[in-house]
Amino acid sequence: MFLDFLQYCGRLAIFAGVAVYHCLRPPIYFRLIGTQMLEIGYFSLPVVGLTAIFTGMVLALQSHTGFARFSAEGAVATVVVISMTRELGPVLAGLMVAGRIGAAMAAEIGTMRVTEQIDALTTLSTNPFKYLVAPRLIAGLAMLPFLVLVADIIGVFGGFLVGAYQLGYNPATYIHSSWDYLKPMDVVSGLVKAAVFGFLISLLGCFNGYHSRGGAQGVGQATTNAVVSASILILTTNYILTALFFNK
Amino acid sequence: MTRQPKIQLIDIHKSFGHKKVLDGVTVDIGTGESFVIIGGSGSGKSVTLKCILGLMRPERGSILVDGREVVGVPARQREEVMKKFGMLFQGSALFDSLPVWENVAFGLMQGRHMDRRTARRKALEKLAQVGLGKDVAELSPSELSGGMQKRVALARAIAAEPEILFFDEPTTGLDPIMADVINDLIVKCVRELGATAVSITHDMHSARKISDRMAMLYHGKLVWVGPTADVDQADNPYVDQFIHGRADGPIKMEIRH
């Protein structure tokens, strides 16, 4: 069991190393990177946006009821903006994209594996790492920060809506206290996390798909593994990155 | 033999876990000949093909293509060797995200960096060669019947005019008439290209039609190799049982009674 786990980690690390190597060496397929960026970035906007707005809203509501107990309602705006940019933006966007994109990658590459399309790529003098894996890794790495930035803005806006229209804060004061206590590092750390999560989502989607075997059931298993392992890794690395950023 | 064989397999061993799949396969395949490996399911035919193609690595033995070792060569050299190969996969293995013509032109555009317009013209030419018109070029592979997919896959395999063609069960899953159409196309394409062809099949009709020489694989060993014309007088109990399709004989299927 433990040995299996170590073997899995080793294979994943080698896969990641080879994949990164192929990201840097020509030929680079810009068209495919573009397609993947559109798929990961643009088409995930609705899902990520909805997640963000409701998270921001609930955050404002909860912190208001909590802080009201010791008359600290003034901190609601700050709490919303800091939690959103530092933690909830990247983590929730990451988890949603893992479900949407990681699963799709594993299923697509897995099907290509079991129908011998990956072997066919090789026989047509095309390296599957360059053609399939590298564009997805690059697109994941580039697009998640963009999605998280959008999620941050929408989430803070959700908090503002609830704060100003339901809880009766003064809109101008709310915006001021959101803005005044926000440090660039809060946003930047969130975006760096997002880039790491984007890389991990693509990596695990591709890895599980690439190594799937045994027909429809195998592809299903690969899809599940891709989503579960990506989600766990997102939560784990989130802690590690937070500790690195703010533990001074 | 004075002429250099195109492909030489020397004592190839391959196993998966405890299961030995290839147990010392040795054979020479001459330039321009059509060589067919017959054998039942699970006899190691596909693995032999995948070892030559470099999709699998044998544990022992060496494979020479044009006299040069291809087992364990670095990736870059491997890609050079790959340019000599064309392969028709059992399930066609067309890229379902691309239209038919891009499938055919894939090796030209990616492997040989041909521009799209020239590659498209070339793809249409190859499609015509396998009896498909312009109208299918823009369709997606999933809109085609099995026989048409096979023909597109054949067009893709010959598009880059390879020196060596591999056919993995070319007629499996097709009706007898379509199977014969594919056989004819294979013979025609191989002849036009002057290519060396290596096929694996368990369809005896197909094997007789497309081969110059045959070999029979059983339990990871070649039990018989000889010209196609001699297969009926092979005087080999394995071959005899296989070509007549009898359940009893030296070949025991792994069925528990």
mmCIF file of all heavy atoms in Angstrom, chain A residues 126-150:
data_model
loop_
_atom_site.group_PDB
_atom_site.id
_atom_site.type_symbol
_atom_site.label_atom_id
_atom_site.label_comp_id
_atom_site.label_asym_id
_atom_site.label_seq_id
_atom_site.Cartn_x
_atom_site.Cartn_y
_atom_site.Cartn_z
ATOM 1 N N THR A 126 4.892 12.379 -34.077
ATOM 2 C CA THR A 126 4.487 13.479 -33.210
ATOM 3 C C THR A 126 4.600 13.010 -31.771
ATOM 4 O O THR A 126 4.055 11.967 -31.426
ATOM 5 C CB THR A 126 3.039 13.894 -33.508
ATOM 6 O OG1 THR A 126 2.938 14.176 -34.887
ATOM 7 C CG2 THR A 126 2.634 15.109 -32.711
ATOM 8 N N ASN A 127 5.300 13.770 -30.956
ATOM 9 C CA ASN A 127 5.468 13.383 -29.567
ATOM 10 C C ASN A 127 4.204 13.715 -28.780
ATOM 11 O O ASN A 127 3.792 14.871 -28.729
ATOM 12 C CB ASN A 127 6.663 14.135 -28.989
ATOM 13 C CG ASN A 127 7.045 13.634 -27.625
ATOM 14 O OD1 ASN A 127 6.182 13.412 -26.785
ATOM 15 N ND2 ASN A 127 8.320 13.453 -27.396
ATOM 16 N N PRO A 128 3.554 12.692 -28.173
ATOM 17 C CA PRO A 128 2.300 12.970 -27.457
ATOM 18 C C PRO A 128 2.477 13.955 -26.303
ATOM 19 O O PRO A 128 1.548 14.697 -25.987
ATOM 20 C CB PRO A 128 1.847 11.604 -26.935
ATOM 21 C CG PRO A 128 2.876 10.631 -27.315
ATOM 22 C CD PRO A 128 3.885 11.269 -28.196
ATOM 23 N N PHE A 129 3.663 13.989 -25.708
ATOM 24 C CA PHE A 129 3.893 14.959 -24.632
ATOM 25 C C PHE A 129 3.826 16.382 -25.180
ATOM 26 O O PHE A 129 3.238 17.260 -24.579
ATOM 27 C CB PHE A 129 5.247 14.720 -23.970
ATOM 28 C CG PHE A 129 5.165 13.744 -22.842
ATOM 29 C CD1 PHE A 129 5.366 12.398 -23.066
ATOM 30 C CD2 PHE A 129 4.846 14.171 -21.571
ATOM 31 C CE1 PHE A 129 5.265 11.495 -22.027
ATOM 32 C CE2 PHE A 129 4.747 13.276 -20.525
ATOM 33 C CZ PHE A 129 4.950 11.932 -20.764
ATOM 34 N N LYS A 130 4.442 16.576 -26.338
ATOM 35 C CA LYS A 130 4.436 17.918 -26.918
ATOM 36 C C LYS A 130 3.054 18.292 -27.425
ATOM 37 O O LYS A 130 2.625 19.424 -27.307
ATOM 38 C CB LYS A 130 5.434 17.989 -28.074
ATOM 39 C CG LYS A 130 6.857 18.116 -27.621
ATOM 40 C CD LYS A 130 7.722 18.616 -28.761
ATOM 41 C CE LYS A 130 9.114 18.917 -28.283
ATOM 42 N NZ LYS A 130 9.879 17.742 -27.881
ATOM 43 N N TYR A 131 2.381 17.328 -28.013
ATOM 44 C CA TYR A 131 1.117 17.616 -28.691
ATOM 45 C C TYR A 131 -0.061 17.666 -27.722
ATOM 46 O O TYR A 131 -0.955 18.488 -27.859
ATOM 47 C CB TYR A 131 0.878 16.549 -29.762
ATOM 48 C CG TYR A 131 -0.283 16.855 -30.672
ATOM 49 C CD1 TYR A 131 -0.140 17.745 -31.730
ATOM 50 C CD2 TYR A 131 -1.525 16.251 -30.485
ATOM 51 C CE1 TYR A 131 -1.193 18.031 -32.568
ATOM 52 C CE2 TYR A 131 -2.584 16.529 -31.319
ATOM 53 C CZ TYR A 131 -2.413 17.420 -32.367
ATOM 54 O OH TYR A 131 -3.472 17.705 -33.182
ATOM 55 N N LEU A 132 -0.063 16.776 -26.731
ATOM 56 C CA LEU A 132 -1.220 16.695 -25.836
ATOM 57 C C LEU A 132 -0.968 17.335 -24.475
ATOM 58 O O LEU A 132 -1.801 18.083 -23.966
ATOM 59 C CB LEU A 132 -1.617 15.223 -25.613
ATOM 60 C CG LEU A 132 -2.170 14.476 -26.809
ATOM 61 C CD1 LEU A 132 -2.368 13.005 -26.462
ATOM 62 C CD2 LEU A 132 -3.488 15.076 -27.259
ATOM 63 N N VAL A 133 0.162 17.006 -23.868
ATOM 64 C CA VAL A 133 0.375 17.392 -22.471
ATOM 65 C C VAL A 133 0.850 18.840 -22.348
ATOM 66 O O VAL A 133 0.263 19.627 -21.593
ATOM 67 C CB VAL A 133 1.378 16.424 -21.795
ATOM 68 C CG1 VAL A 133 1.576 16.809 -20.345
ATOM 69 C CG2 VAL A 133 0.878 14.987 -21.890
ATOM 70 N N ALA A 134 1.877 19.210 -23.120
ATOM 71 C CA ALA A 134 2.464 20.548 -22.961
ATOM 72 C C ALA A 134 1.453 21.685 -23.146
ATOM 73 O O ALA A 134 1.377 22.577 -22.293
ATOM 74 C CB ALA A 134 3.656 20.711 -23.913
ATOM 75 N N PRO A 135 0.621 21.662 -24.208
ATOM 76 C CA PRO A 135 -0.335 22.767 -24.352
ATOM 77 C C PRO A 135 -1.291 22.879 -23.167
ATOM 78 O O PRO A 135 -1.632 23.980 -22.736
ATOM 79 C CB PRO A 135 -1.114 22.398 -25.619
ATOM 80 C CG PRO A 135 -0.264 21.466 -26.362
ATOM 81 C CD PRO A 135 0.540 20.727 -25.345
ATOM 82 N N ARG A 136 -1.683 21.755 -22.592
ATOM 83 C CA ARG A 136 -2.616 21.787 -21.466
ATOM 84 C C ARG A 136 -1.942 22.345 -20.213
ATOM 85 O O ARG A 136 -2.539 23.118 -19.469
ATOM 86 C CB ARG A 136 -3.177 20.382 -21.207
ATOM 87 C CG ARG A 136 -4.213 19.986 -22.241
ATOM 88 C CD ARG A 136 -4.586 18.526 -22.166
ATOM 89 N NE ARG A 136 -5.733 18.218 -22.982
ATOM 90 C CZ ARG A 136 -5.702 18.068 -24.304
ATOM 91 N NH1 ARG A 136 -4.569 18.201 -24.957
ATOM 92 N NH2 ARG A 136 -6.807 17.792 -24.977
ATOM 93 N N LEU A 137 -0.687 21.946 -19.995
ATOM 94 C CA LEU A 137 0.038 22.462 -18.827
ATOM 95 C C LEU A 137 0.232 23.972 -18.940
ATOM 96 O O LEU A 137 -0.015 24.715 -17.989
ATOM 97 C CB LEU A 137 1.406 21.779 -18.715
ATOM 98 C CG LEU A 137 1.422 20.364 -18.164
ATOM 99 C CD1 LEU A 137 2.852 19.858 -18.095
ATOM 100 C CD2 LEU A 137 0.797 20.305 -16.791
ATOM 101 N N ILE A 138 0.644 24.413 -20.118
ATOM 102 C CA ILE A 138 0.895 25.845 -20.293
ATOM 103 C C ILE A 138 -0.406 26.627 -20.116
ATOM 104 O O ILE A 138 -0.455 27.640 -19.419
ATOM 105 C CB ILE A 138 1.515 26.105 -21.687
ATOM 106 C CG1 ILE A 138 2.917 25.489 -21.750
ATOM 107 C CG2 ILE A 138 1.589 27.597 -21.975
ATOM 108 C CD1 ILE A 138 3.532 25.474 -23.131
ATOM 109 N N ALA A 139 -1.478 26.122 -20.722
ATOM 110 C CA ALA A 139 -2.757 26.823 -20.632
ATOM 111 C C ALA A 139 -3.274 26.846 -19.188
ATOM 112 O O ALA A 139 -3.784 27.866 -18.720
ATOM 113 C CB ALA A 139 -3.785 26.162 -21.554
ATOM 114 N N GLY A 140 -3.117 25.736 -18.479
ATOM 115 C CA GLY A 140 -3.565 25.699 -17.082
ATOM 116 C C GLY A 140 -2.798 26.700 -16.232
ATOM 117 O O GLY A 140 -3.374 27.478 -15.467
ATOM 118 N N LEU A 141 -1.481 26.705 -16.424
ATOM 119 C CA LEU A 141 -0.615 27.604 -15.666
ATOM 120 C C LEU A 141 -0.952 29.063 -15.947
ATOM 121 O O LEU A 141 -0.937 29.911 -15.056
ATOM 122 C CB LEU A 141 0.835 27.317 -16.084
ATOM 123 C CG LEU A 141 1.966 27.951 -15.296
ATOM 124 C CD1 LEU A 141 2.055 27.289 -13.946
ATOM 125 C CD2 LEU A 141 3.282 27.771 -16.045
ATOM 126 N N ALA A 142 -1.298 29.371 -17.190
ATOM 127 C CA ALA A 142 -1.536 30.762 -17.557
ATOM 128 C C ALA A 142 -2.950 31.222 -17.229
ATOM 129 O O ALA A 142 -3.167 32.374 -16.862
ATOM 130 C CB ALA A 142 -1.264 30.946 -19.055
ATOM 131 N N MET A 143 -3.923 30.333 -17.350
ATOM 132 C CA MET A 143 -5.303 30.788 -17.264
ATOM 133 C C MET A 143 -5.876 30.811 -15.847
ATOM 134 O O MET A 143 -6.797 31.565 -15.569
ATOM 135 C CB MET A 143 -6.214 29.924 -18.154
ATOM 136 C CG MET A 143 -5.996 30.141 -19.625
ATOM 137 S SD MET A 143 -5.611 31.842 -20.083
ATOM 138 C CE MET A 143 -7.249 32.544 -20.178
ATOM 139 N N LEU A 144 -5.372 29.984 -14.952
ATOM 140 C CA LEU A 144 -5.945 29.984 -13.605
ATOM 141 C C LEU A 144 -5.779 31.328 -12.884
ATOM 142 O O LEU A 144 -6.735 31.810 -12.281
ATOM 143 C CB LEU A 144 -5.366 28.822 -12.796
ATOM 144 C CG LEU A 144 -6.306 27.666 -12.473
ATOM 145 C CD1 LEU A 144 -6.946 27.837 -11.111
ATOM 146 C CD2 LEU A 144 -7.344 27.411 -13.520
ATOM 147 N N PRO A 145 -4.600 31.969 -12.961
ATOM 148 C CA PRO A 145 -4.490 33.306 -12.351
ATOM 149 C C PRO A 145 -5.526 34.276 -12.904
ATOM 150 O O PRO A 145 -6.130 35.043 -12.156
ATOM 151 C CB PRO A 145 -3.069 33.745 -12.710
ATOM 152 C CG PRO A 145 -2.326 32.487 -12.872
ATOM 153 C CD PRO A 145 -3.293 31.520 -13.457
ATOM 154 N N PHE A 146 -5.746 34.218 -14.215
ATOM 155 C CA PHE A 146 -6.753 35.091 -14.823
ATOM 156 C C PHE A 146 -8.138 34.800 -14.233
ATOM 157 O O PHE A 146 -8.869 35.711 -13.833
ATOM 158 C CB PHE A 146 -6.736 34.871 -16.348
ATOM 159 C CG PHE A 146 -8.004 35.264 -17.043
ATOM 160 C CD1 PHE A 146 -8.305 36.601 -17.260
ATOM 161 C CD2 PHE A 146 -8.898 34.290 -17.493
ATOM 162 C CE1 PHE A 146 -9.477 36.965 -17.903
ATOM 163 C CE2 PHE A 146 -10.070 34.648 -18.134
ATOM 164 C CZ PHE A 146 -10.360 35.985 -18.334
ATOM 165 N N LEU A 147 -8.478 33.535 -14.132
ATOM 166 C CA LEU A 147 -9.785 33.164 -13.575
ATOM 167 C C LEU A 147 -9.912 33.620 -12.134
ATOM 168 O O LEU A 147 -10.968 34.089 -11.697
ATOM 169 C CB LEU A 147 -9.957 31.640 -13.630
ATOM 170 C CG LEU A 147 -10.420 31.047 -14.949
ATOM 171 C CD1 LEU A 147 -10.394 29.531 -14.862
ATOM 172 C CD2 LEU A 147 -11.825 31.519 -15.278
ATOM 173 N N VAL A 148 -8.816 33.482 -11.379
ATOM 174 C CA VAL A 148 -8.860 33.836 -9.965
ATOM 175 C C VAL A 148 -8.995 35.343 -9.796
ATOM 176 O O VAL A 148 -9.719 35.814 -8.913
ATOM 177 C CB VAL A 148 -7.625 33.278 -9.237
ATOM 178 C CG1 VAL A 148 -7.471 33.890 -7.863
ATOM 179 C CG2 VAL A 148 -7.741 31.773 -9.124
ATOM 180 N N LEU A 149 -8.343 36.092 -10.667
ATOM 181 C CA LEU A 149 -8.493 37.545 -10.604
ATOM 182 C C LEU A 149 -9.963 37.928 -10.811
ATOM 183 O O LEU A 149 -10.522 38.746 -10.066
ATOM 184 C CB LEU A 149 -7.615 38.196 -11.680
ATOM 185 C CG LEU A 149 -7.339 39.685 -11.500
ATOM 186 C CD1 LEU A 149 -6.616 39.926 -10.182
ATOM 187 C CD2 LEU A 149 -6.521 40.218 -12.662
ATOM 188 N N VAL A 150 -10.587 37.310 -11.795
ATOM 189 C CA VAL A 150 -12.009 37.559 -12.038
ATOM 190 C C VAL A 150 -12.831 37.128 -10.819
ATOM 191 O O VAL A 150 -13.736 37.843 -10.371
ATOM 192 C CB VAL A 150 -12.467 36.809 -13.311
ATOM 193 C CG1 VAL A 150 -13.971 36.955 -13.504
ATOM 194 C CG2 VAL A 150 -11.736 37.338 -14.524
#
